[in-house]
Amino acid sequence: MAFREWLEIEPFGEASAQNGFGPTSRMHRFGHRIAGTDAVLATIEIPLSIVLQSIPIEVTTRLTPSGAIRTNLHLNERGIQETPLIQLVKELLEPRALVMEEVRLSDLQALQRSLETSIQLVSAVTAALQGWGMNHAFVGHE
């Protein structure tokens, strides 16, 4: 029996003791411990100011006309990340992801219906724009 099979390990994060006064002195401790115990296997302490820089103040997501999902993380140093919709679908449908997410046939059927409805919406708008003789959505916009 392997060590990992009989020993459950869990991640944790918690506020730890302050080193002085003020927000720069507050620390957070992250690590792994034996599940259900206080027996710590490994830890690292990080100043709260660094932890807070990694937490988005606001997250917005939108679909671009080219089919990419654009996520804007409003942080001090991070910006816009764009992911093509087809890439997200491919990642979901990889066998390992299907197993990890415990995807059922009914889940995939619901996804398929959603994508088909999306295709119908895009087709309807495309046909309407072509009917108006427009090559782009905004008149005068190149």
Side-chain angles (χ1 to χ4, degrees), residues 121-140:
L121 292 169
V122 172
S123 296
V125 171
T126 302
L129 290 177
Q130 287 174 342
W132 295 337
M134 297 174 63
N135 290 328
H136 41 75
F138 299 104
V139 176

Side-chain angles (χ1 to χ4, degrees), residues 4-64:
R4 176 106 174 126
E5 291 176 16
W6 61 268
L7 182 66
E8 273 192 63
I9 298 171
E10 65 184 10
F12 73 92
E14 61 190 16
S16 60
Q18 277 190 257
N19 296 332
F21 296 99
T24 57
S25 65
R26 294 176 59 192
M27 302 291 281
H28 270 59
R29 189 168 69 139
F30 298 92
H32 285 85
R33 64 179 162 221
I34 298 172
T37 72
D38 290 330
V40 174
L41 300 173
T43 63
I44 184 170
E45 284 195 336
I46 302 173
L48 179 59
S49 58
I50 301 295
V51 173
L52 292 176
Q53 288 176 6
S54 302
I55 299 172
I57 297 168
E58 180 182 349
V59 178
T60 55
T61 302
R62 71 179 191 87
L63 180 63
T64 67

